[in-house]
Amino acid sequence: MTLTIEQVRAKSAAKLSGLLPCVRAASETLIDRAYAAGVPIVITQGLRTFAEQNALYEQGRTKPGSIVTNARGGFSNHNFGVAIDFALLTNDGRSVSWDTRIDADRDGIADWNEVVAIAKALGFAWGGDWRTFKDLPHFEMTFGLSTAQYRAGKCPSKAQTDAVLALAAKNNEEADEMTATEKAEFKALQETVAKQAEAIVALESNTKLAAIPAWATQACVNAKAAGFVDTTADGSYDFYRLVTLLDRSGLFTRKGA
């Protein structure tokens, strides 16, 4: 059985509740555009309360499981309705997948990369582009605001939210009117994005050092003790250099004092 678009939308409805209206509109458009591209998805996370975020933060630290976030309650964009997580959905809707390599629609492009390309076209930033602690299922729209600013009550401007709504509406119109030539061009763009993503992964993997340099060892110990980082493994030369400079400035000593 192949799921209808109405069935696919229904599976994400609960997680879209509580999102900033323009982020919700963009998320709904993402679901529709991915479905039209042959890749049904489900939104697995939307708004989280501070308590839910703290419980997630404790996983792998004070509770069983592996570490899945570095953000405590109030320090995640999920806590302010501007972030979502997704997973691939099987055609019968019975299971989900986080396999970034699968090509279920057999168009020569990994389904995951297709979703990422669509999300970016809608204005989402992707957690897979982060330099550290990559979050491949994560999309967000911060509107240039930090979590500290959100905690202080600051909100995106009307112009910013209107721009997102306009972009979502434009994408819907383009999806309805796309010609065969435009579809071919869009597929070519997706292929380019996929190749660039692979190149970035390869480049970043090459920057990782096999071991922490001796000259940075104590700085890494101090940084972890001060709570600035959870791990210092698999860092790049630039990462260890920055940690060492911050340590020599006395920042970690003051933090832990």
Side-chain angles (χ1 to χ4, degrees):
M1 178 188 74
T2 300
L3 292 173
T4 65
I5 183 57
E6 289 76 16
Q7 291 172 316
V8 172
R9 290 170 179 163
K11 287 183 176 293
S12 296
K15 295 299 183 181
L16 297 180
S17 177
L19 292 176
L20 201 67
C22 65
V23 177
R24 175 170 183 160
S27 301
E28 291 170 341
T29 300
L30 173 63
I31 294 169
D32 290 354
R33 289 291 303 276
Y35 181 87
V39 186
I41 64 171
V42 60
I43 304 305
T44 59
Q45 286 287 310
L47 176 68
R48 284 196 207 112
T49 65
F50 284 21
E52 290 170 336
Q53 186 68 38
N54 282 328
L56 197 62
Y57 179 82
E58 290 168 4
Q59 182 177 315
R61 294 181 174 89
T62 60
K63 293 182 178 179
S66 57
I67 292 177
V68 294
T69 182
N70 281 333
R72 295 182 174 89
F75 289 80
S76 167
N77 285 309
H78 280 288
N79 301 149
F80 305 99
V82 294
I84 59 172
D85 294 338
F86 83 99
L88 302 175
L89 188 64
T90 58
N91 282 330
D92 59 9
R94 294 178 181 175
S95 61
V96 297
S97 172
W98 286 270
D99 187 343
T100 61
R101 299 164 297 177
I102 192 171
D103 181 20
D105 60 352
R106 299 181 181 180
D107 62 356
I109 308 171
D111 295 344
W112 199 273
N113 291 338
E114 292 187 71
V115 178
V116 169
I118 295 169
K120 287 185 175 182
L122 288 165
F124 282 107
W126 179 42
D129 288 331
W130 296 346
R131 289 182 59 84
T132 58
F133 207 89
K134 291 182 181 296
D135 193 351
L136 299 182
H138 181 89
F139 296 123
E140 63 182 26
M141 291 186 184
T142 66
F143 302 96
L145 300 176
S146 67
T147 55
Q149 290 174 307
Y150 278 117
R151 290 195 304 275
K154 192 170 179 59
C155 298
S157 68
K158 186 176 185 300
Q160 288 176 310
T161 58
D162 284 349
V164 172
L165 290 170
L167 188 58
K170 179 181 178 181
N171 273 273
N172 282 332
E173 292 170 1
E174 290 177 348
D176 292 338
E177 300 171 1
M178 194 175 289
T179 65
T181 299
E182 289 170 337
K183 289 179 180 179
E185 292 174 347
F186 183 68
K187 183 176 180 179
L189 175 61
Q190 290 175 318
E191 292 173 344
T192 299
V193 170
K195 291 177 180 178
Q196 290 177 337
E198 292 174 357
I200 290 172
V201 170
L203 180 61
E204 291 182 340
S205 65
N206 289 337
T207 65
K208 293 180 179 179
L209 300 183
I212 299 174
W215 48 264
T217 302
Q218 188 58 52
C220 289
V221 170
N222 295 343
K224 290 179 67 175
F228 276 76
V229 293
D230 290 314
T231 179
T232 53
D234 298 324
S236 66
Y237 177 88
D238 288 339
F239 170 77
Y240 293 123
R241 183 172 180 272
L242 176 61
V243 170
T244 301
L245 289 173
L246 292 175
D247 182 53
R248 290 176 180 176
S249 73
L251 181 62
F252 302 146
T253 302
R254 292 196 298 272
K255 177 74 175 180

